Amino acid sequence: MSQTSRTGARGRKTVARHGRLRSPHPFASLMKMLGIVAAVVLVSGLGVSAYAYYDLTTSFASEAVELEGQGSVPPDIGAIEGGVNLLLVGTDECEPEYAYLFGDRCTGPDAEGQLNDVNMLLHISDNPRRVTVISFPRDLMVPIPSCTREDGSETGGSSYEQINSAWNYGSLNCVVKTVSQLSGMNIPFAAKVSFGNVISITDAIGGVDVCIGNGGMRDRYTGIDWAAGPRNVQGVEALQFLRTRYGLENGSDLARISNQQQYMSSLARKLVSDEVLTNPSTLLRLATTVVDNVTPSQSLTNPVTLVQIARAVQGVPFEEMVFVRYPVFDDPSNANRVVPDEAAAEQLWAALEANQPLQLTSDPNLSGGVITADPAPTDAPVEGEPTEPTEPVEPTEGAAPVEPAPTETAAVLPDSIQGQTAAQETCSAGNLSG
């Protein structure tokens, strides 16, 4: 059976939203999975010694989490068969070295707790390969299933709870079960990171290039006061950028997701650039950093599995790397929560199950988090200048006629599903009054 087979009836009795809450929340993202892929490229293709390979993967496995009901992957060095579903969970927790950035969140009664504030389902389809990343708003109200805690005890679950509380019901395993129930997807792989890991990962690749629009960005909660224009964010700046809400046009968590998608698109482009993939020292630094900063499910600790997943994403064009936000409505009973738009979500799940190309119809400029960037200059002829005539191509004698490649029918997603591809370039919809 395919790794990405559906799990049956979803039973989505859900609801949720994002409001202007006092404490800003962090981000831990697709960069971890892409970092894992980069580590695989390093150990499998660039001649790192067997000892280093063993050392990295052994370290990576030391704190692995077992997911309920998930089997092992066959030991085949080829690309993983059937496809991949992997949940990336970013936890909001108060690591001492970064607590100063979070004010009341790290000094109040909730300072010891953890919340799964970032929940991103990475879906790699079977042939033809496509990559889709679905971000679930932290304020989404969903049923939380019964889960097993690390001490073996069982939790009773909840029929209606904010999705970012799933961690408290059973850590990574419970977040996986919650998202699996909501999406109808079997999720055999997962990884958890805290917000402090963003700094280490971003520094390992020399920062990520982003763009600030609308005249600039200011956010007193994250300490941002940046001018408009391109900016390479590293270290604490990367964390500030990914956490900001009030520095964006409408100050919401949904806008923050759109802004994070700008970052992830730029990150994806950088990770496959010559600047990273052909630089052994950068890859080694990235591989080591990922191993030190990610807590994986046990299913991800087999180095062969990492190679399989890496090979599955090789050659996927940026146009087929799509970042979307799970569709929601405002919760009519609570302005700070959102509820699922189940009809729109069903169209997304059906398109992924059918492995159709995704056609976004949403306007990024209406997200409140990003605006479209000016297109890059092209080599198109300037109006009024002469152009060189194109010589007709003569068919080779005896050659079979070239048949046009078959076209696939794209799934046209409703405009309630905000997102962008890795090929699109956007800028933050900055706000100077945050």
Side-chain angles (χ1 to χ4, degrees), residues 26-346:
F27 169 80
S29 71
L30 175 66
M31 61 196 310
K32 312 308 176 193
M33 181 55 205
L34 293 177
I36 292 169
V37 171
V40 171
V41 172
L42 168 67
V43 298
S44 62
L46 295 179
V48 174
S49 70
Y51 174 79
Y53 185 33
Y54 174 80
D55 185 60
L56 284 172
T57 55
T58 300
S59 174
F60 191 52
S62 62
E63 297 183 0
V65 177
E66 183 176 359
L67 302 183
E68 293 181 46
Q70 304 298 345
S72 61
V73 177
D76 180 358
I77 205 65
I80 198 164
E81 294 183 3
V84 177
N85 286 323
L86 186 153
L87 188 68
L88 299 153
V89 176
T91 55
D92 171 7
E93 53 190 277
C94 290
E95 297 160 295
E97 61 268 45
Y98 304 117
Y100 72 95
L101 294 171
F102 295 91
D104 293 347
R105 168 66 182 89
C106 292
T107 57
D110 297 329
E112 299 301 318
Q114 294 187 40
L115 297 171
N116 52 296
D117 266 3
V118 175
N119 305 281
M120 303 170 65
L121 178 60
L122 170 67
H123 173 80
I124 305 171
S125 68
D126 199 2
N127 295 322
R129 297 291 188 181
R130 298 183 173 93
V131 176
T132 308
V133 180
I134 303 101
S135 294
F136 298 87
R138 67 181 178 86
D139 299 319
L140 181 64
M141 301 299 290
V142 298
I144 307 291
S146 175
C147 297
T148 304
R149 295 190 182 95
E150 293 179 1
D151 62 6
S153 61
E154 293 288 326
T155 63
S158 172
S159 61
Y160 189 76
E161 190 95 22
Q162 198 168 325
I163 195 171
N164 72 342
S165 66
W167 185 272
N168 294 325
Y169 283 82
S171 302
L172 182 61
N173 179 62
C174 201
V175 183
V176 170
K177 290 185 71 173
T178 300
V179 175
S180 181
Q181 176 177 274
L182 177 65
S183 65
M185 294 279 191
N186 177 42
I187 305 174
F189 306 108
K192 172 259 183 184
V193 287
S194 66
F195 61 73
N197 304 135
V198 175
I199 293 175
S200 299
I201 296 289
T202 307
D203 286 353
I205 61 171
V208 172
D209 295 325
V210 297
C211 170
I212 311 300
N214 284 1
M217 175 186 289
R218 186 175 297 129
D219 182 350
R220 63 185 180 277
Y221 293 101
T222 59
I224 287 176
D225 189 0
W226 299 343
R231 190 180 191 93
N232 180 272
V233 293
Q234 300 188 42
V236 172
E237 280 199 356
L239 182 59
Q240 290 172 308
F241 180 82
L242 292 164
R243 289 179 54 234
T244 188
R245 289 174 50 196
Y246 298 103
L248 300 172
E249 202 168 55
N250 72 1
S252 73
D253 186 56
L254 301 186
R256 175 164 52 191
I257 288 175
S258 294
N259 194 49
Q260 291 170 353
Q261 290 172 344
Q262 175 204 168
Y263 180 95
M264 291 186 291
S265 296
S266 179
L267 175 68
R269 293 191 296 270
K270 181 160 188 177
L271 283 174
V272 299
S273 69
D274 290 344
E275 186 178 346
V276 174
L277 285 186
T278 62
N279 188 324
S281 63
T282 299
L283 278 173
L284 180 58
R285 185 168 61 250
L286 177 58
T288 305
T289 303
V290 169
V291 165
D292 289 342
N293 287 276
V294 174
T295 301
S297 60
Q298 288 186 353
S299 54
L300 268 185
T301 59
N302 184 342
V304 173
T305 302
L306 297 181
V307 174
Q308 289 178 307
I309 294 174
R311 294 192 61 150
V313 300
Q314 281 180 334
V316 176
F318 290 146
E319 292 80 4
E320 297 284 10
M321 295 183 181
V322 184
F323 304 92
V324 297
R325 189 195 73 211
Y326 181 81
V328 296
F329 294 121
D330 289 347
D331 185 344
S333 63
N334 187 337
N336 291 325
R337 301 291 178 265
V338 289
V339 300
D341 180 347
E342 295 186 13
E346 186 58 44

Side-chain angles (χ1 to χ4, degrees), residues 382-405:
V382 177
E383 186 176 354
E385 289 188 357
T387 58
E388 293 293 327
T390 302
E391 293 292 332
V393 178
E394 295 293 333
T396 305
E397 185 176 352
V402 178
E403 296 291 335

